[in-house]
Amino acid sequence: MTIKLCASFLSALIFLGTSISFAEERIEKNILVGMVSGLALVMDVHYPEEPNGYGIIHISGSGWSRLLSYDAQQLSESQVGIFGAPLVEQGYTVFSLNHRAVPRFQFPDPLVDVQRAVRFVRHNASEYGIDPQRIGAVGGSSGGHLVSLLAALDGEGNLDDPDPINRESAKIQTVVARAAPFDLTKMGHSANLSLLMGARLVNDPNSQEAKRYVDASPITYISNDDPPMLLIHGDEDQVVPYEQSVSFLSKLDEYAIPAKLITIPGAGHGPTFPGAKNPPDFIGAMVAWFDKYLTD
């Protein structure tokens, strides 16, 4: 079902939340989640003043990319002020992730990294004061792609792995995905996507190139046991077509998975939905979604 909301935008969401601060909460930065070929995989943990006992994975949109310089902003710091702060204010513990990115790395490296982070959070749930069986995720654009894979893939751990963290499940229990590319075969050409996949998509559906794109698409893995998903998308998005969310919602409905699409009229691509006309309260809808499907 597609929903167009007409509520005010949470006082302009403190409009465009890059100014939202975590002044009342404690932030623990650069928590070591794991090592990959000598490289540290880290995340930031945002603790609420009054925790409700539930955790949310947050992945910023980035085009799956990061700058190569040593002083490049970490992905974990990029958009958490917009989508993480309201959740922390409502008592959720938010885990904002980094992952390997183009141009240095290819798929499935980003997926492997965020799955490792979920396993780490689940394994250490008692330390973070959260329920290990009820973890949600929110992400936008490329981050929406990755959180949707966390939802759609089975995420089973390897029970024979010597590292107990890797024995944990990487499956999450509900998702909010903003402007996510759910079917990479229908995204057209982009430099970042070609770098991510290690190949440009070609027209032959039987080609190895096409198979890579299919294998990396969340829509490929939808099944009856997938968790509820809230989709948010601007209908004038020129980067990730709005039809991506419409088609994905139809697939979720086909499998009777609880799902909704919030359309942002006139909005283009980006976490602040540029160009939005009378933007709906998607932040309030996000919080309500997690309250309904994570804490109930």
Side-chain angles (χ1 to χ4, degrees), residues 90-254:
Q90 295 301 315
Y92 291 97
T93 302
V94 172
F95 304 87
S96 193
L97 307 188
N98 293 290
H99 60 71
R100 283 173 289 173
V102 304
R104 290 190 63 191
F105 301 99
Q106 295 179 355
F107 192 86
D109 292 343
L111 172 62
V112 170
D113 291 349
V114 298
Q115 286 183 319
R116 168 69 185 193
V118 174
R119 299 184 207 279
F120 180 91
V121 169
R122 180 161 278 128
H123 187 73
N124 294 284
S126 60
E127 176 183 335
Y128 293 118
I130 64 168
D131 185 342
Q133 303 307 316
R134 300 174 77 84
I135 297 173
V138 58
S141 194
S142 61
H145 165 256
L146 291 171
V147 296
S148 299
L149 283 172
L150 290 174
L153 293 169
D154 62 39
E156 290 182 356
N158 180 0
L159 298 181
D160 296 324
D161 197 292
D163 183 347
I165 292 172
N166 289 336
R167 300 173 202 160
E168 301 282 358
S169 170
K171 185 92 167 180
I172 46 86
Q173 281 63 63
T174 190
V175 154
V176 175
R178 171 191 62 80
F182 298 111
D183 185 349
L184 301 187
T185 69
K186 293 182 170 59
M187 277 293 294
H189 171 68
S190 79
N192 279 5
L193 187 53
S194 294
L195 286 170
L196 179 73
M197 303 313 303
R200 183 168 179 168
L201 183 65
V202 297
N203 291 330
D204 180 3
N206 297 315
S207 66
Q208 288 297 311
E209 290 85 352
K211 185 177 186 303
R212 290 189 186 186
Y213 281 69
V214 169
D215 288 348
S217 296
I219 200 167
T220 301
Y221 303 101
I222 295 301
S223 61
N224 291 6
D225 64 348
D226 289 338
M229 301 190 198
L230 174 65
L231 317 180
I232 309 172
H233 212 137
D235 61 8
E236 296 295 332
D237 194 325
Q238 300 301 307
V239 177
V240 178
Y242 174 68
E243 182 59 32
Q244 286 274 327
S245 285
V246 173
S247 297
F248 194 66
L249 178 68
S250 177
K251 189 74 169 181
L252 295 173
D253 287 345
E254 180 183 330

